[in-house]
Amino acid sequence: MSEINKKKSLNALQIICLIVAAFFMLVQMYSWGSTFGRLPLSTLMRFIPGLLGHSTMVLVPMVFGAVYSKRKVHPTEAFKFWIIAVVTLVLLYLVNFFKRPGTFNMWKLWGVFFPVLTSTSVLLAGLIFSMLVQPYLYELQHRITTKQNVLLLSALTLTGFATSAGTMIFNKSIYGIYLILYFAWGMFLANVKIPKKVFGWSIAAGVMSFFVMFIGVPGFNGVYWYQRLSGRSGVYSWNPKFLSNIASPFLFLMVLAAFLIFRKVIVSYSAKQMHFFIPVIIFMDAPIIGGFVKSFRFTNSAGFNKFLMIVIMMLAAWGLSWLYERYLFKVKPVKRTVAFFKQHNNLAEIVEDAWTNFTAWIVENRVRLLTWGWFYVLSFASFLIESDNLRIQITTATDINAVIFLLGTRFFAIILTAIFLDAMFAIFYFITTRYWTSTVLVTVITIGWAIANKIKLDLRGEPIYPTELDEIVNWKTLMPMVGQQKIIMIAIALVIIIALTVFLEIKFPIKKKGSWKRRGIWALLSLLLFMTPVRFNHDGGIIYHINRGFDNKQSFRNPERDIQINGPLLNFLNYFDLQIMNKPTNYSKSTIQHLNEKYSKIADKINKTRKNTLKDQTIVYNLSESFVDPYTFPTIKIDPKTPNPVKFIQSMKKRATYGSMLSAGYGGGTANMEWETLTGFNMGMFKSTLTPYVQIVPNYDFYPTIGMDFNYKSAVHPFIGTYYSRVEDYKRFKFNKFVYLGSKYKIIDQKKLGKSTYNSDFTAYANGLRQINSMKGGQFINLISIQNHMPYNNWYPNNEYMGKVSGELFNTAAVREQMATYIKGTQYTDQAVKKFIGQIDKIKKPITIVFYGDHYPSILSQNYTGKYPVQMHSTRYFIYSNKYARQHGAKNKLTHNTNFVNTSDFTAMMLEQTNTKVTPYQALLTEVHEKLPAITINFNGDKGFQLVDQKGHFVDPKKLTSEQQAILNDYEMVQYDMTAGQAYGLKAKGFYKIGD
């Protein structure tokens, strides 16, 4: 064969090998464990993906070592690897952001620019380390004999395995240092003559090693799990896959065989061709790659989709490597850096010179750097001020050191605050042109704002909201709340600050670099930055995802905790963008007045057949924390030999209105259910997820609830009262009393069950009964229990349900233990309810209790809600009127539309059961309950509401009749008015309250 044909054949073979190698590397973008696990011989085959990944980690450094073995490599090559990786990561993350904006995260972005420090790819780190030490390896290998090379490399390979016993998990960049060993093997093998006999024995050893791993890895894995399940000690100290570990000699022998087979092709590659593999490695190892490639769906065939994506990513790597060679190293900053590296002969000189230049840059830009540093410290201090004696409550029962928590988990939220502070500084500096004046202004505003929020937190349990800014006009009434002593201290501090500012401006004047045009541009950009909060909560928007990527995630659940973890500035900005409801097209004051007239007529019709009034009765709305009939859990099986834990509550089906309540939450959302119950409004009508107690109610001085129809109304909660701004919101509801732990009203009969830290339901009902007996006439009581709140940590001794729970969804010991604890808790609830019902039946005044569980306990994975959407959002409820109430007109039970209801239906149902007259608004609620399917949130997570019929099936809103659609539109109009509108209904005479 001629030399030309040989060269053509070699080039063709090079291309084929490149394509095959890239394909098998990119295959690792996907997780194949489950796929291989379904194949015949699955026990053996499911370890193949891991074996492929480990082989890649060994083979790739060997290939690079062979290609770069011809001469000493300058450290510039390591920089080229790094810059190619960074640019590839930037492009990949940009595409990922536009494809999956919800995955944006600043911690991941940090890894883009520091792939080695953040362990983006151990393989990439290993290649960079190898490039840096290649000159020293080159000298060593050429200084010693072939036999010495073999002995040294073999000894290091065996020592690495012997000292680690396969326990090294190559998940950190530092392990890339180990890959230098395989790089050195590649350098050596590329330049040594291998006899045919040695070649043959090497191939045989490689094949034998493959079967040793293929059989041995599953075998040792079985031994490992047998020991674990048998409770053996020290099981975790060894790796069952040690035979196929990256440090394993068996893995090396297998890879060595492959390397020797393709050695001729490998050594023919050039350094530029190796650059192609850097994007491939990034695509293979990038933290986001799994979700990224799965987000593309071209056909209905999952296998064909994967094949297409592998081909696309291979073409992308090829295209990028071509662009990099043609353009990247001509970009001025990159070109200058390459030139800087080439000016030095070794790594030591580069590090020394780079350090000198870096320190010079620090000195030159010290003002800017110190300013940024100060804003970070200032931002951190503002977070710290909101803590409680340097503690932050991370759960209902756990608090943590604020400094550790903030620095460890809220780093980027602090950074985002610092960015806003820097923007504030840019605006002030453009206006004043004074550095110290601008810096001090930012400092005073930041600390002052943090202190003001802390004062309000201490006084009222909530931060400052944007809607309260107009309260500044009432400064005369606000000043006494602050206190004379604090005002004097603030005044003295301001005088000192002003004096200090003047001194600094005169004695140490600082003029920042840059023209007025440049300062003006920065000021304009800063103003634009302060406009972004109006899009913070626009779900799906770019600003929304970037904001959340900085860990600024407002829960709107616990205002005190929100401000502690988001800081006073971000917490305030988060409230600017309330996406509540879309404004109805014909919304106006006259429209609300028209609805008042329309439903006044319906109310008159209803009231003709009703004789009672609310203010003469005692109504108890009883929210039972996380209460669900255990027998209604999907797939659950409770040993029939154990007692029925909720026998009494189930018996209420015969004696009271009884059924399933559709919850707007799973594992949480208590306040939302409470808000629906008290107001009659519905969470399904909202445009986005929110917590009305925190985001809506504070916008109003007075908020209408069922309690406004009573002369006396109160709330009882044997727990902390500040959650969800309850203390302040109940004042807006005009409640006369709120009894909670820490209030001026004592919680009596505090009783905790077993090891639980929560007050029991017996305590809740004892305090509820005391409130009932404290008034001779009618009253309204909002009674909230806490006993069955998460967690479910085996609280109760002698729990007969422990080990007696099974079912498809209860497939782990932890879930079964939590469920057994929860069931025992419901048994205690059942006993407490039975006792309470017996007590109110003896009281000679009309009492009606609306009992409901607010949501499922967070025991089962929320992933199952997609499979059981209605079931896992259905809790138990009943409405019971005591003997005296039934003797005076109340019904025993309702029989129409009771199987599936929403908490917003309770008022209409309670009024019907108690034979009570209604207001126009309550007439609307009655129409909604009687003529519409139950309204609830969209359980698929989409915006808007869903309708559920009495059989628990979804109803298409398009199938509603014209009458039903009109009622739904009226209901939506009224809710908009009282959540996002002008509250015209409060001024419409008699709409919410009889006699207004």
Side-chain angles (χ1 to χ4, degrees):
M1 186 182 291
S2 66
E3 288 298 322
I4 295 175
N5 289 334
K6 284 183 179 180
K7 191 173 182 180
K8 285 183 178 179
S9 298
L10 183 60
N11 289 338
L13 192 57
Q14 280 183 335
I15 294 172
I16 292 171
C17 288
L18 276 176
I19 292 172
V20 172
F23 181 85
F24 278 104
M25 290 174 72
L26 292 173
V27 160
Q28 297 170 56
M29 296 186 300
Y30 293 95
S31 175
W32 297 92
S34 59
T35 303
F36 276 77
R38 291 193 294 268
L39 295 174
L41 300 174
S42 61
T43 304
L44 302 174
M45 294 298 292
R46 63 194 177 95
F47 294 99
I48 291 296
L51 188 60
L52 176 62
H54 292 172
S55 301
T56 303
M57 292 281 280
V58 175
L59 180 59
V60 171
M62 290 179 69
V63 171
F64 272 76
V67 173
Y68 284 94
S69 66
K70 302 175 182 69
R71 58 182 176 81
K72 284 186 180 182
V73 177
H74 196 274
T76 305
E77 193 67 13
F79 169 74
K80 288 182 178 179
F81 282 13
W82 178 83
I83 193 66
I84 290 173
V86 168
V87 174
T88 304
L89 282 167
V90 168
L91 295 174
L92 177 63
Y93 275 66
L94 274 174
V95 175
N96 181 69
F97 176 71
F98 288 108
K99 176 65 176 173
R100 302 188 304 148
T103 63
F104 175 74
N105 183 282
M106 281 301 296
W107 287 108
K108 293 179 181 177
L109 187 63
W110 176 266
V112 169
F113 298 102
F114 302 96
V116 175
L117 290 178
T118 56
S119 302
T120 297
S121 168
V122 178
L123 182 54
L124 172 69
L127 293 178
I128 292 175
F129 296 152
S130 298
M131 286 295 105
L132 293 175
V133 301
Q134 191 272 353
Y136 307 101
L137 291 174
Y138 184 87
E139 287 184 357
L140 176 63
Q141 289 187 352
H142 283 77
R143 190 184 310 131
I144 62 178
T145 65
T146 300
K147 188 175 183 179
Q148 288 172 330
N149 268 296
V150 172
L151 289 173
L152 177 61
L153 291 171
S154 299
L156 289 173
T157 303
L158 292 172
T159 302
F161 177 70
T163 54
S164 69
T167 57
M168 281 195 290
I169 307 299
F170 286 74
N171 58 349
K172 304 292 182 186
S173 288
I174 192 64
Y175 287 104
I177 294 175
Y178 193 87
L179 301 184
I180 296 174
L181 172 62
Y182 299 121
F183 182 88
W185 268 113
M187 287 182 65
F188 168 70
L189 293 171
N191 297 294
V192 67
K193 186 177 180 180
I194 301 176
K196 288 185 178 180
K197 188 174 182 180
V198 173
F199 179 84
W201 279 109
S202 297
I203 301 302
V207 173
M208 183 66 67
S209 295
F210 170 76
F211 284 106
V212 167
M213 292 184 290
F214 187 71
I215 298 171
V217 170
F220 280 112
N221 190 65
V223 172
Y224 174 82
W225 281 104
Y226 171 76
Q227 291 179 338
R228 282 195 62 177
L229 295 173
S230 300
R232 307 286 179 86
S233 60
V235 174
Y236 298 94
S237 62
W238 70 287
N239 178 8
K241 302 184 185 72
F242 71 95
L243 289 176
S244 64
N245 185 264
I246 293 170
S248 168
F250 295 99
L251 182 72
F252 171 70
L253 287 172
M254 185 187 75
V255 173
L256 174 63
F259 177 89
L260 292 177
I261 292 172
F262 295 99
R263 187 176 72 145
K264 185 177 180 180
V265 181
I266 291 170
V267 296
S268 69
Y269 286 120
S270 66
K272 285 186 178 181
Q273 287 174 309
M274 287 297 97
H275 289 177
F276 161 71
F277 283 104
I278 302 303
V280 173
I281 290 169
I282 293 300
F283 292 158
M284 180 181 75
D285 285 344
I288 63 166
I289 198 64
F292 175 74
V293 292
K294 288 178 183 177
S295 68
F296 291 89
R297 186 173 297 176
F298 306 104
T299 69
N300 292 328
S301 170
F304 190 60
N305 279 331
K306 290 178 179 179
F307 175 77
L308 281 178
M309 275 309 299
I310 291 170
V311 173
I312 289 170
M313 298 305 284
M314 191 187 307
L315 292 173
W318 204 293
L320 288 175
S321 62
W322 180 83
L323 288 171
Y324 294 154
E325 294 299 328
R326 192 174 181 87
Y327 300 108
L328 178 61
F329 298 104
K330 295 179 181 179
V331 177
K332 284 186 177 180
V334 177
K335 189 175 181 180
R336 283 199 301 266
T337 306
V338 170
F340 168 79
F341 275 93
K342 287 183 176 180
Q343 289 172 4
H344 305 83
N345 295 323
N346 55 56
L347 183 60
E349 290 181 6
I350 292 172
V351 172
E352 182 181 2
D353 203 3
W355 177 256
T356 302
N357 292 339
F358 177 70
T359 53
W361 181 83
I362 292 288
V363 172
E364 183 182 358
N365 296 276
R366 61 188 180 280
V367 172
R368 186 179 303 169
L369 295 173
L370 287 172
T371 303
W372 288 342
W374 171 244
F375 288 151
Y376 180 82
V377 171
L378 193 61
S379 172
F380 176 68
S382 70
F383 278 68
L384 218 54
I385 289 171
E386 307 307 329
S387 65
D388 293 323
N389 298 317
L390 297 183
R391 306 291 294 180
I392 290 177
Q393 192 172 42
I394 57 175
T395 68
T396 55
T398 308
D399 62 7
I400 192 171
N401 181 276
V403 176
I404 295 173
F405 177 77
L406 293 173
L407 292 178
T409 65
R410 307 302 298 162
F411 177 77
F412 282 109
I414 297 171
I415 288 288
L416 183 58
T417 299
I419 291 172
F420 275 100
L421 297 184
D422 188 65
M424 193 188 307
F425 170 85
I427 296 169
F428 287 149
Y429 189 69
F430 177 74
I431 296 171
T432 66
T433 70
R434 303 284 182 180
Y435 174 83
W436 290 113
T437 301
S438 302
T439 304
V440 170
L441 275 172
V442 172
T443 303
V444 170
I445 291 172
T446 303
I447 298 300
W449 182 251
I451 293 172
N453 274 273
K454 182 60 176 174
I455 290 172
K456 190 176 180 222
L457 273 177
D458 292 340
L459 290 174
R460 299 173 61 177
E462 61 184 10
I464 299 172
Y465 299 115
T467 53
E468 297 174 316
L469 287 180
D470 57 1
E471 290 295 320
I472 196 69
V473 299
N474 300 318
W475 62 272
K476 290 183 179 179
T477 57
L478 290 173
M479 296 295 267
M481 296 182 188
V482 178
Q484 185 176 0
Q485 186 177 1
K486 289 181 180 178
I487 293 171
I488 294 173
M489 291 175 63
I490 292 171
I492 294 172
L494 287 174
V495 170
I496 294 173
I497 290 169
I498 293 170
L500 178 63
T501 305
V502 173
F503 171 77
L504 291 172
E505 290 287 6
I506 296 174
K507 196 72 176 176
F508 304 100
I510 294 177
K511 203 73 174 178
K512 287 188 71 179
K513 296 179 180 180
S515 63
W516 69 269
K517 289 183 179 179
R518 184 178 178 182
R519 295 198 304 271
I521 291 172
W522 274 112
L524 180 60
L525 292 174
S526 299
L527 284 172
L528 292 175
L529 178 66
F530 274 102
M531 293 176 65
T532 59
V534 300
R535 306 290 297 182
F536 271 7
N537 296 323
H538 279 250
D539 191 0
I542 291 177
I543 292 175
Y544 169 85
H545 291 299
I546 292 176
N547 176 53
R548 294 180 73 82
F550 273 91
D551 280 339
N552 181 26
K553 300 174 182 177
Q554 194 85 355
S555 70
F556 302 109
R557 178 178 181 269
N558 183 343
E560 183 173 7
R561 183 175 180 272
D562 280 343
I563 195 173
Q564 287 178 342
I565 66 173
N566 293 321
L569 177 60
L570 294 182
N571 186 78
F572 181 76
L573 296 177
N574 286 335
Y575 281 89
F576 271 104
D577 177 31
L578 293 180
Q579 296 297 298
I580 301 175
M581 294 178 68
N582 291 321
K583 183 178 180 180
T585 53
N586 59 338
Y587 173 69
S588 66
K589 184 177 181 180
S590 60
T591 301
I592 298 299
Q593 183 57 44
H594 168 72
L595 292 179
N596 185 25
E597 295 169 0
K598 175 181 177 179
Y599 287 97
S600 290
K601 295 177 182 177
I602 296 175
D604 290 341
K605 184 178 179 180
I606 293 172
N607 291 340
K608 286 181 180 179
T609 61
R610 298 188 182 180
K611 66 177 185 178
N612 292 329
T613 57
L614 270 182
K615 66 179 182 180
D616 297 325
Q617 302 178 62
T618 296
I619 305 296
V620 181
Y621 278 6
N622 175 206
L623 185 156
S624 184
E625 173 63 45
S626 300
F627 182 85
V628 179
D629 184 334
Y631 292 99
T632 65
F633 276 71
T635 77
I636 195 170
K637 295 177 182 177
I638 304 173
D639 191 329
K641 295 178 181 178
T642 59
N644 182 347
V646 289
K647 183 178 180 180
F648 178 78
I649 290 177
Q650 287 180 351
S651 74
M652 297 300 287
K653 185 175 184 178
K654 299 178 181 179
R655 329 170 39 196
T657 304
Y658 180 93
S660 296
M661 184 212 81
L662 298 171
S663 174
Y666 175 81
T670 299
N672 295 342
M673 302 301 95
E674 186 184 342
W675 178 81
E676 283 191 336
T677 306
L678 294 175
T679 64
F681 296 134
N682 194 290
M683 295 295 297
M685 292 294 172
F686 289 133
K687 185 177 179 182
S688 59
T689 303
L690 50 81
T691 302
Y693 267 15
V694 180
Q695 293 172 283
I696 293 175
V697 177
N699 297 336
Y700 301 88
D701 294 328
F702 169 68
Y703 207 83
T705 67
I706 184 63
M708 66 191 295
D709 288 301
F710 295 83
N711 293 329
Y712 194 90
K713 45 268 184 187
S714 62
V716 177
H717 184 34
F719 191 59
I720 302 168
T722 54
Y723 280 101
Y724 303 110
S725 294
R726 279 195 181 100
V727 173
E728 288 304 310
D729 284 352
Y730 286 169
K731 292 178 183 177
R732 295 179 178 102
F733 297 159
K734 304 301 180 186
F735 280 15
N736 300 89
K737 180 197 291 187
F738 180 23
V739 184
Y740 61 94
L741 291 178
S743 69
K744 63 181 179 180
Y745 308 102
K746 185 179 179 182
I747 294 288
I748 64 168
D749 293 346
Q750 293 192 37
K751 180 181 180 182
K752 296 177 174 63
L753 303 172
K755 299 176 184 178
S756 175
T757 58
Y758 300 120
N759 275 317
S760 68
D761 283 356
F762 295 99
T763 299
Y765 290 121
N767 284 269
L769 186 66
R770 181 180 67 165
Q771 182 58 42
I772 290 173
N773 291 327
S774 68
M775 301 289 295
K776 291 183 178 180
Q779 62 173 314
F780 173 78
I781 303 170
N782 189 42
L783 178 61
I784 312 165
S785 75
I786 191 64
Q787 173 190 292
N788 294 320
H789 196 285
M790 65 173 292
Y792 308 99
N793 295 336
N794 193 11
W795 300 128
Y796 312 116
N798 304 318
N799 185 350
E800 62 266 44
Y801 302 100
M802 199 62 68
K804 305 297 183 180
V805 180
S806 60
E808 181 185 334
L809 304 190
F810 302 84
N811 49 14
T812 68
V815 169
R816 289 191 292 271
E817 179 182 283
Q818 291 179 56
M819 194 63 202
T821 301
Y822 174 77
I823 293 173
K824 186 64 178 178
T826 62
Q827 184 185 55
Y828 285 126
T829 297
D830 190 72
Q831 294 169 2
V833 170
K834 181 178 181 179
K835 179 180 178 182
F836 183 63
I837 293 296
Q839 289 169 326
I840 65 173
D841 265 339
K842 297 176 182 178
I843 299 175
K844 301 300 182 180
K845 58 181 179 181
I847 303 172
T848 295
I849 176 174
V850 178
F851 170 95
Y852 65 101
D854 55 339
H855 53 69
Y856 253 67
S858 54
I859 296 175
L860 296 177
S861 170
Q862 193 165 354
N863 294 332
Y864 296 129
T865 59
K867 188 175 182 180
Y868 306 98
V870 174
Q871 192 171 354
M872 290 184 68
H873 285 90
S874 298
T875 67
R876 184 63 67 225
Y877 86 92
F878 67 79
I879 304 175
Y880 177 77
S881 298
N882 71 343
K883 292 179 181 179
Y884 190 90
R886 296 196 301 273
Q887 292 169 357
H888 292 78
K891 300 177 181 179
N892 287 344
K893 58 188 295 187
L894 304 179
T895 56
H896 178 65
N897 284 358
T898 59
N899 288 342
F900 285 91
V901 303
N902 192 275
T903 40
S904 57
D905 291 315
F906 285 155
T907 291
M909 297 172 72
M910 177 273 295
L911 291 168
E912 181 180 359
Q913 178 159 322
T914 57
N915 196 18
T916 300
K917 297 180 184 297
V918 300
T919 66
Y921 173 61
Q922 292 163 352
L924 169 60
L925 296 182
T926 302
E927 290 282 279
V928 169
H929 169 63
E930 291 184 351
K931 297 181 179 179
L932 291 177
I935 306 170
T936 188
I937 63 167
N938 192 307
F939 295 143
N940 296 323
D942 298 328
K943 297 177 182 178
F945 61 87
Q946 282 183 309
L947 301 174
V948 178
D949 65 19
Q950 291 302 297
K951 294 182 179 179
H953 300 148
F954 291 120
V955 177
D956 187 347
K958 295 179 182 178
K959 294 183 179 180
L960 295 179
T961 66
S962 56
E963 180 189 14
Q964 289 176 316
Q965 190 62 59
I967 294 171
L968 185 62
N969 291 340
D970 292 345
Y971 182 53
E972 185 177 9
M973 181 75 69
V974 172
Q975 179 161 328
Y976 176 85
D977 179 58
M978 206 60 237
T979 55
Q982 302 300 314
Y984 295 130
L986 289 178
K987 301 172 184 176
K989 187 175 182 180
F991 185 64
Y992 285 110
K993 183 179 179 181
I994 293 176
D996 270 4

